Amino acid sequence: MTEMGRWRDIDKLLARPGNIISPGFEPSPQLREEIGGLVRVLVVGAGGLGCELLKDLALSGFKNIDVIDMDTIEVSNLNRQFLFRIHDVGKSKAEVAAKRVMERVSGVNITPHFCRIEDKDIEFYSDFNIIVLGLDSIEARSYINSVACSFLEYDPDDNPVPETIKPMVDGGTEGFKGHARVIVPGTTPCFECNIWLFPPQVKFPLCTLAETPRTAAHCIEYAHLIKWDEVHNGKTFDPDDPEHMQWVYSEALKRAELFGITGVTYSLTQGVVKNIIPAIASTNAIVSAACALEALKLVSGCSRTLSNYLTYNGLEGTHIKVTDFIRDKDCLVCGPGTLIELDSSVTLLQFMELLGKHPQLRLSKPSITHRGNNLYMQAPPVLEEMTRSNLQLPLFDLIDKVPKDTVHVSGTTEKNDKRTTCLRKLRVVFKDQVNGVTSMDTAGAN
Amino acid sequence: MEPGPNKNGSRSSSYKKNKSPLYSSSLDGLISHGLLNSWRAMIRLFKIKDQRKEEAANANGRAPAKKQSAGELRLHKDISELNLPKTTTIAFPNGKDDLMNFEISIRPDEGYYLGGTFTFTFQISASYPHEPPKVKCKTKVYHPNIDLEGNVCLNILREDWKPVLNINTVIYGLNLLFTQPNDEDPLNHEAAAVLHDNPRLFETNVRRAMAGGYVGNTYFTRCI
């Protein structure tokens, strides 16, 4: 295909005016090249969705792509993770996917990262202009969301500072169902704002497993949760170890025979233990296409982004709906928190008294934590005792002499004469330490 | 909504009046701050970001400190609000900054288990409170709802867990297991059968186990 022909459709979006463009969008034939040259996109996950995303993004004009995935290729991936071949089994998904897309799409540069998302430091993530997620767990989404939101800064009027915003596009599929959502921290709800919407995982009562199993899944969970510990003294069960899985399968089979239950198979065992729902290639393709389009819209402005959560259901016919989720204004991850200006000589105890008088907070009995260090705990007595000595120390010293940082506080507030417990984010700024004034003299003079 | 400074103003602003609910102004917030005059500025913004990053790196070479997950923060709230019953004590073996792993000891003040001390380990995952705490009984106990491996059959730890529940609720639930052992949800079904058929024998067995000794073929270490 000629270079012109190749970009014909993308250029229709980027080089022509439209009706539902983002405000201020100026169509231009150079826009595609600018996106290719300037924008760095990170794809998290190189599995079913990840393969589709890499292909879609590369074909949409993104030229600087990184992909991160800790998994290696398994035989069972090959039906839908179309960048992989039988001889790739055992190799890194990220590395093989990057290589295959670069072979097929000229001009694109994909850097693979064969590691856990937690292995990269925060700086790694700050390099990207946009993060696209093709993940299969709430934990991993929550982690990336917290990383992306950690870059977000608010101005004194609690408006997000534009250059600190790290937009995300999150895709997810489960069988015939899927979703695509746009997360612009500080503007749209973040992942944590709506995390309560996820239905809890179905868990069987332990006593049912132990006493009255009725289904094949009960037998499998019995072998996995009860029998394993009984037999393997202290050894942790590894769902990715085929020998462990085989052991659980054979024990589940014995149990099923004992109770006259049918239906225990090796693949069901894997499914129940690893909580796997069969993946459908077409769902991945549809969700990925929606995500790639949103990514293009976010960086180019060629159209308004979807607002802000698309659900797809292909179970009976096709159903697509977009729901406008709302932010949790008190969200601990993406919310602005309460701005508190202090002097660096203020002790932790004085700071706590200040929270009680603060008109917006009126927070009594505060327990305070800073990046995993518990500065003061009201309860239980054993922790109160361990943290009591901090009360007389300056807060500035306790948070490693950082002029601006976030601390979190749990406590009691009064609202309409009702006392409720709460957890709040506070943006602490030491007035005498910002604006470049960090000399000891100033601190001493106060 | 403010009309954007785009060239085809009339067309797009007339459309905006009846814009589809599918599309929104999620980024209009940015525009209205005046920092982004046009979408071409988004690209400029990326350049600014690079500069800022360099400045930040020069000003402060320090690696960012450990981050707290939303789950850890929620746990911080739970722990700071703990109101332990007088039967229960808590310990943090890894010190004041690891709240994700702790132990509680219950010393029931009534019922079959009066006088015994039973220790439970709590492991809280990063997805708490979406996921319930993992609780195991470290003390070997003759109990219908706790098996010899320390698995605990308490509905709120599995099928009935809700994120509105908290560590206090679980601790109260565990206390209840000792005052009201329940033969209908057995995990140790021999103990459950004895409790159901012969409560007097059950009481004797519990005493024997707590004092350190055999019940049937199982040896229990002393926990009084």
Side-chain angles (χ1 to χ4, degrees):
Chain A
M1 202 187 286
T2 64
E3 188 64 12
M4 279 299 284
R6 176 180 169 189
W7 299 115
R8 194 191 62 176
D9 297 317
I10 294 291
D11 284 347
K12 277 183 181 159
L13 292 172
L14 300 180
R16 303 197 309 189
N19 287 330
I20 47 172
I21 53 173
S22 284
F25 168 66
E26 285 175 43
S28 148
Q30 280 91 53
L31 196 48
R32 172 170 49 76
E33 278 157 33
E34 288 188 358
I35 289 168
L38 275 167
V39 177
R40 290 196 62 194
V41 50
L42 174 67
V43 175
V44 187
L49 257 180
C51 282
E52 291 279 351
L53 285 169
L54 287 169
K55 174 256 294 170
D56 288 350
L57 291 167
L59 292 173
S60 304
F62 291 93
K63 288 193 179 332
N64 303 305
I65 305 175
D66 285 47
V67 58
I68 181 166
D69 196 310
M70 62 176 285
D71 278 346
T72 52
I73 298 159
E74 289 179 41
V75 172
S76 62
N77 302 147
L78 299 178
N79 73 323
R80 64 192 183 284
Q81 299 178 20
F82 58 90
L83 297 172
F84 309 142
R85 300 289 173 267
I86 187 79
H87 57 263
D88 296 325
V89 169
K91 293 182 193 162
S92 151
K93 286 188 178 180
E95 286 168 4
V96 175
K99 184 168 158 274
R100 290 286 140 73
V101 175
M102 283 196 286
E103 282 166 5
R104 294 287 293 271
V105 184
S106 64
V108 65
N109 187 25
I110 304 181
T111 310
H113 303 271
F114 177 29
C115 61
R116 301 173 62 86
I117 51 177
E118 297 90 348
D119 291 344
K120 294 286 185 189
D121 56 26
I122 301 270
E123 288 307 307
F124 169 79
Y125 293 98
S126 88
D127 282 348
F128 300 98
N129 304 109
I130 182 166
I131 302 176
V132 185
L133 310 181
L135 289 165
D136 60 359
S137 83
I138 291 179
E139 288 88 336
R141 283 191 180 86
S142 176
Y143 180 80
I144 296 286
N145 178 70
S146 74
V147 169
C149 291
S150 72
F151 299 118
L152 182 67
E153 289 176 25
Y154 284 88
D155 67 18
D157 299 323
D158 288 353
N159 292 312
V161 178
E163 62 266 32
T164 65
I165 295 172
K166 183 88 54 200
M168 283 171 281
V169 181
D170 174 42
T173 71
E174 219 173 59
F176 283 104
K177 297 175 184 173
H179 79 258
R181 70 187 288 193
V182 172
I183 299 178
V184 182
T187 306
T188 73
C190 81
F191 186 70
E192 212 69 43
C193 287
N194 314 119
I195 196 165
W196 53 273
L197 279 167
F198 285 94
Q201 249 180 51
V202 178
K203 287 202 160 134
F204 307 117
L206 273 186
C207 34
T208 302
L209 305 182
E211 202 67 6
T212 50
R214 295 181 304 276
T215 67
H218 287 162
C219 299
I220 293 163
E221 282 290 71
Y222 171 80
H224 167 219
L225 294 171
I226 297 176
K227 194 77 184 178
W228 176 272
D229 282 346
E230 241 174 72
V231 175
H232 301 83
N233 203 3
K235 188 158 124 196
T236 30
F237 173 77
D238 176 5
D240 293 322
D241 185 329
E243 270 180 43
H244 289 193
M245 195 60 82
Q246 189 63 44
W247 186 90
V248 167
Y249 166 59
S250 62
E251 284 299 319
L253 210 54
K254 280 187 219 160
R255 179 123 180 119
E257 273 167 26
L258 190 67
F259 285 87
I261 295 167
T262 54
V264 173
T265 62
Y266 185 73
S267 64
L268 183 71
T269 306
Q270 276 186 309
V272 169
V273 170
K274 294 171 101 171
N275 201 26
I276 295 173
I277 290 163
I280 308 287
S282 53
T283 312
N284 286 338
I286 291 164
V287 167
S288 165
C291 290
L293 186 59
E294 291 310 313
L296 184 68
K297 283 152 72 172
L298 274 166
V299 299
S300 70
C302 70
S303 165
R304 292 176 181 283
T305 57
L306 92 100
S307 168
N308 44 39
Y309 198 121
L310 175 147
T311 46
Y312 161 81
N313 188 342
L315 208 54
E316 286 175 59
T318 300
H319 183 255
I320 291 180
K321 182 175 161 47
V322 177
T323 312
D324 194 357
F325 281 17
I326 55 166
R327 287 181 72 196
D328 172 2
K329 68 175 173 51
D330 292 327
C331 178
L332 296 172
V333 177
C334 74
T338 307
L339 179 64
I340 296 189
E341 292 188 321
L342 290 169
D343 197 275
S344 60
S345 61
V346 168
T347 64
L348 183 60
L349 185 63
Q350 290 167 330
F351 175 65
M352 285 163 52
E353 285 163 2
L354 215 123
L355 301 180
K357 293 181 206 139
H358 193 284
Q360 276 150 44
L361 290 170
R362 297 213 163 274
L363 216 147
S364 56
K365 293 209 149 245
S367 296
I368 297 169
T369 181
H370 170 252
R371 296 187 183 269
N373 295 325
N374 291 316
L375 305 183
Y376 185 71
M377 294 293 286
Q378 299 278 350
V382 50
L383 287 180
E384 196 279 333
E385 217 168 281
M386 283 195 249
T387 52
R388 196 185 300 154
S389 59
N390 283 343
L391 289 175
Q392 303 307 327
L393 301 176
L395 179 64
F396 183 59
D397 292 356
L398 287 169
I399 66 168
D400 302 328
K401 299 190 194 273
V402 181
K404 276 203 281 191
D405 211 350
T406 301
V407 301
H408 289 93
V409 51
S410 305
T412 317
T413 54
E414 237 169 279
K415 216 177 185 179
N416 310 327
D417 291 335
K418 252 181 79 181
R419 293 172 76 81
T420 49
T421 62
C422 69
L423 175 51
R424 292 278 179 266
K425 177 173 170 179
L426 308 178
R427 271 148 67 207
V428 178
V429 176
F430 295 97
K431 286 177 293 185
D432 53 338
Q433 300 291 329
V434 288
N435 306 324
V437 186
T438 49
S439 76
M440 294 301 285
D441 301 348
T442 325
N446 291 324
Chain B
M1 189 186 306
E2 289 171 49
N6 48 326
K7 286 166 191 157
N8 55 327
S10 61
R11 250 178 85 200
S12 68
S13 54
S14 70
Y15 190 88
K16 277 178 206 158
K17 279 175 197 154
N18 47 31
K19 66 171 176 151
S20 150
L22 281 190
Y23 300 98
S24 96
S25 46
S26 56
L27 285 151
D28 288 2
L30 295 184
I31 312 293
S32 62
H33 297 155
L35 280 147
L36 277 182
N37 290 323
S38 78
W39 268 103
R40 303 297 298 284
M42 187 75 173
I43 300 281
R44 231 178 292 140
L45 200 62
F46 295 159
K47 291 178 184 161
I48 298 171
K49 272 189 195 175
D50 282 348
Q51 277 170 18
R52 262 182 71 98
K53 235 192 74 200
E54 274 170 36
E55 285 163 20
N58 293 338
N60 193 350
R62 203 168 62 89
K66 182 180 136 189
K67 267 188 56 64
Q68 259 170 313
S69 69
E72 282 176 88
L73 291 169
R74 160 60 196 267
L75 182 65
H76 173 265
K77 178 172 184 280
D78 279 16
I79 299 284
S80 72
E81 289 168 3
L82 272 185
N83 184 10
L84 297 174
K86 58 183 188 303
T87 54
T88 307
T89 57
I90 190 165
F92 296 86
N94 307 330
K96 70 171 179 67
D97 293 330
D98 182 4
L99 305 181
M100 310 287 271
N101 298 284
F102 59 89
E103 291 183 1
I104 66 150
S105 292
I106 298 179
R107 201 176 158 77
D109 55 5
E110 57 173 307
Y112 295 115
Y113 297 91
L114 175 73
T117 303
F118 306 93
T119 303
F120 293 84
T121 56
F122 279 63
Q123 273 185 327
I124 319 289
S125 76
S127 39
Y128 181 78
H130 192 71
E131 285 281 318
K134 281 200 175 71
V135 177
K136 284 250 180 180
C137 186
K138 255 175 83 176
T139 313
K140 202 168 192 179
V141 54
Y142 180 79
H143 193 294
N145 314 115
I146 302 174
D147 73 14
L148 300 172
E149 305 305 314
N151 294 310
V152 182
C153 187
L154 181 64
N155 63 337
I156 56 169
L157 284 176
R158 291 186 60 80
E159 70 274 18
D160 291 331
W161 171 257
K162 302 271 183 301
V164 293
L165 301 178
N166 58 33
I167 302 297
N168 238 349
T169 345
V170 172
I171 290 175
Y172 276 88
L174 293 174
N175 269 276
L176 211 60
L177 281 183
F178 290 102
T179 48
Q180 296 171 24
N182 166 6
D183 63 68
E184 283 165 24
D185 298 324
L187 214 47
N188 176 341
H189 59 123
E190 286 165 36
V194 177
L195 174 62
H196 183 261
D197 300 333
N198 189 348
R200 290 288 296 276
L201 177 61
F202 180 78
E203 189 176 355
T204 314
N205 286 350
V206 169
R207 291 271 128 211
R208 184 179 296 160
M210 292 200 306
Y214 280 92
V215 176
N217 293 323
T218 310
Y219 181 77
F220 293 85
T221 37
R222 187 179 169 87
C223 67
I224 295 183

